[in-house]
């Protein structure tokens, strides 16, 4: 019996011991992830869980999640996965802590969380995922993974995450499942959706996901669609007039790269940009919050769009 087998045997004994002691204590992996309270957290009547799900054993990749049951009757509510964009934005730091999550951290000398009255937790069970590895609390034990990240790995790991998350939370497997996100999640959401749909066609019943729909805010899909969408949005929210909308849609061709638009088109686009000097394009009905952007006025559309996306990510 070589050293290897002694180590293997020890590992087996250790694994058996761990399994046995967990069972003896009646502790499941799900219960181990239960969060009973956070520093500075007001009392709440819903359950929350947080932890890691392994998505790739050989490379040691694990994704971090934070899950909130709906405030009442979680067993009757759908499950919603939320993804922030970037790429590189944390769904905990933005989605949970500033947008739709139940808790907003406060800037105070002591840890302090405020309840978010606009959280989506009344309607749905909320699952916030840090994705891909390297974002937020999600990690890999293989440093070279970080330079190989991209949409393909992100979608695949997120899919593996879901399969394994449902194994830890089997009571949610039959719930209607939705994916929502913003900005660069305009890539994440459809690509993960496609993987789920493909996999649902011929997966085992065990890996089937009861997938019902998607929602993307401020989606970054591709330049042409995004630019058309921004003009469309400005028009149907009465930010620009029928006349300007007509001029832009007849003069500009967004199939062309934005830096290749004609002078005639740019003249009309500048009128569109001028309006957003007095209206916050990310919150039309709220007072202006962001800094003076008129110094980018003369820059091209693409730069302004980029600035806008950066603004959004800073804000959201
Ligand atoms: C783990 O990740 C590596 C690198 O991303 C990939 O080559 C490998 O196929 C993955 N393993 C599994 C089981 O998906
Ligand atoms: C990463 O490495 C640490 C330290 O060896 C280990 O505890 C952890 O389980 C590994 N993570 C994964 C996902 O394999
Ligand atoms: C948090 O509060 C401290 C002390 O009042 C202040 O200096 C700091 O700028 C605040 N940070 C944010 C992000 O508001
Ligand atoms: C079904 O599984 C096979 C083998 O794994 C794969 O090649 C094929 O693409 C899958 N079909 C769909 C629709 O995902
Ligand atoms: C639309 O273009 C025409 C021709 O250049 C111009 O006279 C008109 O003022 C433009 N309309 C708006 C609302 O800018
Ligand atoms: C817009 O540009 C594309 C690519 O050059 C071209 O195929 C298309 O015909 C143009 N559309 C119009 C309405 O001119
Ligand atoms: C953009 O315009 C330049 C200069 O006219 C031209 O050389 C280039 O091919 C155009 N690019 C595209 C993708 O149309
Ligand atoms: C905004 O920028 C313009 C041009 O740089 C400057 O003239 C104007 O005073 C600035 N406005 C404010 C409120 O800072
Ligand atoms: C919209 C909504 O009902 N949000 C609730 C989420 O949960 C917290 C904590 O119970 C409530 O305070 C929010 O009102």
């Amino acid at each position: 019996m070589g050293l290897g087998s002694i180590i293997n045997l020890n590992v087996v004994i250790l694994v058996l011991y761990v399994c046995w002691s967990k069972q003896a204590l009646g502790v499941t992996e799900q219960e181990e992830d239960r969060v009973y309270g956070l520093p500075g957290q007001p009392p709440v009547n819903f359950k929350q869980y947080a932890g890691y799900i392994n998505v790739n054993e050989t490379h040691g990749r694990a994704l971090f999640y934070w899950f909130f049951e709906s405030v009442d009757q979680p067993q009757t509510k759908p499950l919603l996965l939320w993804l922030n964009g970037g790429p590189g934005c944390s769904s905990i730091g933005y989605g949970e802590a500033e947008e739709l999550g139940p808790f907003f951290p406060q800037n105070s000398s002591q840890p302090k969380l405020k309840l978010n009255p606009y959280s989506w937790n009344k309607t749905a069970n909320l699952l916030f995922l840090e994705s891909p590895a390297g974002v937020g609390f999600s990690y890999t034990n293989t440093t070279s993974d970080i330079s190989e990240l991209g949409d393909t790995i992100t979608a695949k790991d997120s899919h593996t995450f879901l399969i394994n998350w449902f194994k830890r939370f089997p009571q949610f497997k039959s719930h209607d499942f939705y994916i929502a996100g913003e900005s660069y999640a305009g890539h994440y959401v459809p690509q993960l959706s496609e993987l789920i749909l493909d996999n649902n066609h011929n997966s085992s019943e065990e890996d089937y996901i009861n997938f019902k729909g998607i929602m993307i805010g401020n989606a970054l899909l591709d330049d042409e669609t995004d630019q058309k969408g921004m003009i469309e949005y400005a028009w149907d929210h009465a930010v620009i007039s029928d006349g300007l909308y007509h001029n832009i849609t007849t003069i500009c061709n967004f199939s062309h790269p934005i830096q290749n638009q004609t002078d005639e088109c740019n003249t009309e686009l500048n009128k569109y940009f001028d309006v957003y000097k007095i209206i916050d394009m990310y919150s039309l009905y709220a007072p202006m919050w962001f800094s003076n952007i008129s110094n980018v006025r003369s820059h091209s559309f693409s730069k302004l769009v980029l600035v806008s996306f950066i603004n959004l990510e800073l804000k959201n």
Side-chain angles (χ1 to χ4, degrees):
M1 192 152 126
L3 186 59
S5 3
I6 294 174
I7 291 173
N8 279 343
L9 188 65
N10 277 339
V11 168
V12 169
I13 289 171
L14 184 68
V15 167
L16 283 176
Y17 172 74
V18 169
C19 295
W20 177 81
S21 55
K22 268 186 194 172
Q23 269 172 2
L25 294 169
V27 179
T28 63
E29 276 187 313
Q30 181 179 139
E31 263 320 298
E32 283 185 335
D33 282 0
R34 179 83 186 269
V35 175
Y36 285 93
L38 291 162
Q41 183 206 294
V44 293
N45 60 2
F46 57 82
K47 289 185 186 168
Q48 52 172 322
Y49 301 82
Y52 284 100
I53 299 279
N54 288 350
V55 294
N56 186 300
E57 297 289 343
T58 47
H59 281 221
R61 287 204 295 276
L63 301 186
F64 183 81
Y65 78 90
W66 194 357
F67 174 58
F68 301 90
E69 288 192 353
S70 178
V71 280
D72 65 357
Q73 299 205 298
Q75 68 280 6
T76 65
K77 302 289 165 67
L79 173 66
L80 180 105
L81 174 73
W82 174 263
L83 299 169
N84 270 95
C89 290
S90 159
S91 301
I92 306 287
Y94 293 106
E96 194 303 302
E98 293 184 48
E99 299 171 341
L100 58 142
F103 299 133
F104 284 3
Q106 300 302 292
N107 185 14
S108 69
S109 54
Q110 297 299 312
K112 194 169 173 218
L113 293 171
K114 188 182 88 173
L115 292 176
N116 170 18
Y118 308 110
S119 171
W120 296 0
N121 60 355
K122 200 173 195 170
T123 314
N125 297 290
L126 300 175
L127 177 57
F128 295 89
L129 171 65
E130 305 267 59
S131 154
V135 173
F137 294 119
S138 294
Y139 70 89
T140 174
N141 282 341
T142 307
T143 307
S144 59
D145 279 355
I146 297 298
S147 56
E148 281 154 25
L149 291 173
D151 288 355
T152 309
I153 290 182
T154 303
K156 189 168 185 293
D157 280 359
S158 299
H159 183 248
T160 309
F161 167 87
L162 287 174
I163 302 277
N164 293 339
W165 188 87
F166 280 117
K167 287 180 183 146
R168 196 172 295 178
F169 290 85
Q171 73 269 37
F172 288 99
K173 212 166 167 348
S174 61
H175 289 220
D176 287 352
F177 177 69
Y178 294 87
I179 310 177
E182 70 185 289
S183 195
Y184 196 80
H187 282 218
Y188 295 157
V189 174
Q191 291 174 15
L192 174 58
S193 301
E194 189 177 18
L195 264 190
I196 293 173
L197 291 174
D198 284 352
N199 201 66
N200 273 354
H201 280 307
N202 61 356
S203 72
S204 58
E205 199 175 324
E206 193 187 318
D207 288 350
Y208 183 86
I209 294 175
N210 188 23
F211 188 32
K212 295 294 181 191
I214 66 172
M215 179 165 66
I216 314 168
N218 186 45
L220 199 162
L221 299 166
D222 61 72
D223 288 348
E224 183 178 352
T225 312
D226 298 345
Q227 283 148 16
K228 277 184 185 163
M230 288 171 80
I231 301 300
E232 201 72 33
Y233 176 84
W235 177 56
D236 67 29
H237 286 75
V239 169
I240 57 171
S241 66
D242 292 348
L244 182 55
Y245 176 74
H246 176 263
N247 281 4
I248 292 175
T249 49
T250 50
I251 297 171
C252 303
N253 182 341
F254 291 116
S255 305
H256 296 160
I258 199 71
Q259 64 275 17
N260 272 25
Q261 296 297 347
T262 59
D263 289 348
E264 292 72 30
C265 168
N266 282 327
T267 301
E268 301 307 309
L269 284 180
N270 281 338
K271 297 177 195 166
Y272 156 87
F273 289 131
D274 281 348
V275 185
Y276 282 130
K277 282 195 263 161
I278 54 167
I279 296 175
D280 180 347
M281 63 158 39
Y282 294 109
S283 192
L284 299 183
Y285 309 114
M288 286 285 273
W289 68 274
F290 57 78
S291 62
N292 187 352
I293 62 160
S294 62
N295 50 351
V296 295
R297 172 175 188 237
S298 56
H299 288 214
S300 70
F301 193 17
S302 61
K303 281 193 187 131
L304 199 94
V305 169
L306 186 65
V307 168
S308 306
F309 283 134
I310 291 167
N311 260 338
L312 178 81
E313 290 307 348
L314 290 178
K315 189 183 169 199
N316 292 336

